[in-house]
Amino acid sequence: MDVVLDVLDMFVFDKLYAFLLPAKSFELLDRDSLHDYNRHINRYVSLRPRQYVVKSSWSRDNIFRQFLSLFLTIWGFGLLLYLTTATLSFALVFDKRAMQHPKFLRHQIGQALRAMPAMAALTAPSLPGRSAWTQQAYPLFIAFTDFSIYWIHRGLHHPAIYKRLHKTHHKWIISTPYASYAFHPVDGWSHSLPYHMYPFLFPLQKAAYLGLFVFVTIWTVMIHDGEYALDSPVINGSACHTIHHYYFNYNYVQFTTLWDRIGGSYRRPNRELFNRQERLKQTEILRQVEEMGRLVKEVEGSDDRCYEQDTKETS
């Protein structure tokens, strides 16, 4: 993130902090001195530093400025990536007929937008300032995060934690791509911890770290998109994750089914999900609703969701 921060400092934050928190006094620096402020990005691009770098009372080394800059960067980039990928997925992939399901709830995007600033604030201190340049095999990243998220996610389903944190995400039994970030902030942050821990433990290229951040966001949207194109006993695709939202206690993993199989929590998606005609037939929906209702009571005690169908029936 130090490379990204240096670039944004030059083009955005130097001028912003100079305007908001001007230095009481400053001296003009020659080009060589200014060049030192940007030495970390020279291997990527050649930029001409500007005098704004010394015009704020908060220098680039100020820890409060670094935290605020990281927070704004994570929030802004994450918001842009989320809205872009989720909207494209909703428009081009998501089966809109699912919105007629009796367990469908709206306002998934609203929860995500409310949660993302707090998630960004919690994430900022955990980002690695520098990461190694050793070439790293991506399968190790997948294996590490899959293992870690399985246990974090399964722990969030513990009765002592579930209602306080993870229930917010499970409010949406029928998910859309916008549900991918509809979390309680602490819940969403805990899911992201393995991604940010990995560069501290294993060598990882800086560009690869940013690329994996984008990949994880896209993957998270994809497993909530309701498009059951992948019927694999190995990959945790949208169908597997749909089963998790439907029936709570299955398929906790992010990428593969390995740890669910080892932990005894794997449930193969119903065959009907892979047939566009069968999956939304009334008989299939009634069967889903019956099991959903039983499991909601088992996990939550009672169902306090306000479904649109219930509202219509009582009006």
Side-chain angles (χ1 to χ4, degrees):
M1 285 300 291
D2 57 326
V3 175
V4 174
L5 202 54
D6 280 343
V7 172
L8 289 175
D9 274 334
M10 178 172 291
F11 288 109
V12 180
F13 293 133
D14 284 341
K15 189 173 184 179
L16 177 65
Y17 288 116
F19 174 75
L20 296 176
L21 297 163
K24 293 182 180 179
S25 63
F26 61 89
E27 58 181 279
L28 295 176
L29 300 180
D30 58 34
R31 182 173 296 182
D32 290 338
S33 298
L34 285 169
H35 185 73
D36 287 340
Y37 280 93
N38 302 281
R39 59 188 178 275
H40 300 307
I41 61 174
N42 287 342
R43 69 175 66 219
Y44 293 107
V45 288
S46 178
L47 297 172
R48 178 178 296 178
R50 297 181 292 177
Q51 291 290 342
Y52 293 113
V53 72
V54 294
K55 290 186 177 182
S56 173
S57 59
W58 276 13
S59 70
R60 287 188 180 183
D61 293 331
N62 184 290
I63 190 171
F64 299 107
R65 168 174 167 165
Q66 290 183 356
F67 172 81
L68 181 58
S69 297
L70 280 172
F71 161 70
L72 292 173
T73 301
I74 297 164
W75 184 17
F77 183 58
L79 185 63
L80 177 63
L81 191 59
Y82 162 72
L83 289 175
T84 301
T85 55
T87 300
L88 286 173
S89 179
F90 183 82
L92 303 176
V93 178
F94 180 67
D95 187 346
K96 311 300 188 299
R97 296 177 302 162
M99 298 171 69
Q100 305 303 316
H101 196 287
K103 295 295 185 182
F104 178 78
L105 285 177
R106 298 181 185 274
H107 311 303
Q108 299 176 19
I109 188 173
Q111 177 60 38
L113 295 179
R114 290 191 296 272
M116 290 186 79
M119 288 166 62
L122 290 167
T123 300
S126 66
L127 287 181
R130 301 180 185 277
S131 48
W133 286 92
T134 305
Q135 185 67 34
Q136 177 61 52
Y138 297 140
L140 182 58
F141 172 87
I142 298 296
F144 175 83
T145 53
D146 220 27
F147 169 80
S148 303
I149 288 176
Y150 174 78
W151 291 108
I152 290 171
H153 193 177
R154 188 157 187 171
L156 286 163
H157 277 260
H158 189 280
I161 301 173
Y162 173 81
K163 290 184 181 181
R164 292 182 174 88
L165 296 179
H166 198 49
K167 182 180 176 180
T168 300
H169 186 59
H170 274 277
K171 176 181 179 180
W172 291 281
I173 295 175
I174 309 300
S175 63
T176 74
Y178 292 114
S180 55
Y181 277 76
F183 286 99
H184 183 288
V186 176
D187 183 9
W189 168 74
S190 67
H191 275 83
S192 71
L193 268 179
Y195 308 129
H196 306 308
M197 289 168 53
Y198 183 87
F200 288 104
L201 301 174
F202 305 99
L204 182 69
Q205 289 181 335
K206 298 179 183 182
Y209 177 74
L210 295 176
L212 287 168
F213 179 86
V214 174
F215 164 72
V216 167
T217 300
I218 294 173
W219 184 271
T220 304
V221 169
M222 285 174 57
I223 62 175
H224 289 87
D225 67 11
E227 179 54 43
Y228 312 120
L230 187 63
D231 182 10
S232 169
V234 177
I235 305 300
N236 178 58
S238 179
C240 279
H241 197 69
T242 290
I243 292 298
H244 178 72
H245 275 266
Y246 279 11
Y247 308 125
F248 296 85
N249 298 324
Y250 307 95
N251 302 352
Y252 297 105
V253 290
Q254 183 81 348
F255 300 114
T256 75
T257 62
L258 173 64
W259 290 103
D260 276 310
R261 290 180 180 279
I262 292 174
S265 52
Y266 175 69
R267 175 166 170 168
R268 184 162 187 168
N270 304 351
R271 305 310 308 155
E272 291 80 5
L273 292 180
F274 300 97
N275 186 310
R276 288 181 64 88
Q277 284 71 43
E278 293 290 328
R279 68 190 184 206
L280 288 176
K281 278 188 174 180
Q282 191 64 21
T283 53
E284 172 64 13
I285 289 176
L286 290 175
R287 189 191 63 76
Q288 293 171 3
V289 168
E290 182 180 357
E291 186 171 4
M292 288 171 184
R294 178 176 59 80
L295 287 168
V296 165
K297 290 182 180 179
E298 180 182 310
V299 173
E300 300 180 2
S302 62
D303 191 353
D304 57 5
R305 297 165 182 80
C306 184
Y307 301 106
E308 291 185 23
Q309 179 172 296
D310 296 339
T311 304
K312 291 177 183 177
E313 289 177 352
T314 57
S315 61

